[in-house]
Amino acid sequence: HGAAELDEMGAEALPRRTPAPAWLPTAKGEEGDFCLRSSDCAAGLCCARHFWSKICKPVLREGQVCTRHRRKGTHGLEIFQRCQCAEGLACRLQREHGPADASRLHTCQRH
């Protein structure tokens, strides 16, 4: 056995020595991919519940409807979670010009 032969074998064996667990994608998750936490998702996405699993969903942009959690305890029960608003945006009650009880939508707005 020459040294060169050993070298080739070593290089060959390297990538297989530490296989990534099947559930852990090597690339960052794209929209709709399963995830465990937001760091599993690509930039601009967060990990949010969708039915009984969690998938990468887009972070909310200005003007998009957001979920305002009145009580911290309730959002664990949500089946369709939304991401938080993007940097620099806050989830605020949209001021409608209609009747006072108009849909009460919260949207992402600039601070």
Side-chain angles (χ1 to χ4, degrees), residues 46-51 53-54 57 66-84:
C46 87
C47 192
R49 187 176 303 288
H50 190 76
F51 287 117
S53 50
K54 290 171 88 182
K57 299 185 183 184
C66 49
T67 311
R68 188 69 191 215
H69 300 302
R70 282 177 199 80
R71 292 192 307 284
K72 270 287 177 246
T74 52
H75 69 260
L77 306 171
E78 270 185 281
I79 290 184
F80 299 106
Q81 275 180 332
R82 288 193 179 103
C83 289
Q84 69 287 0

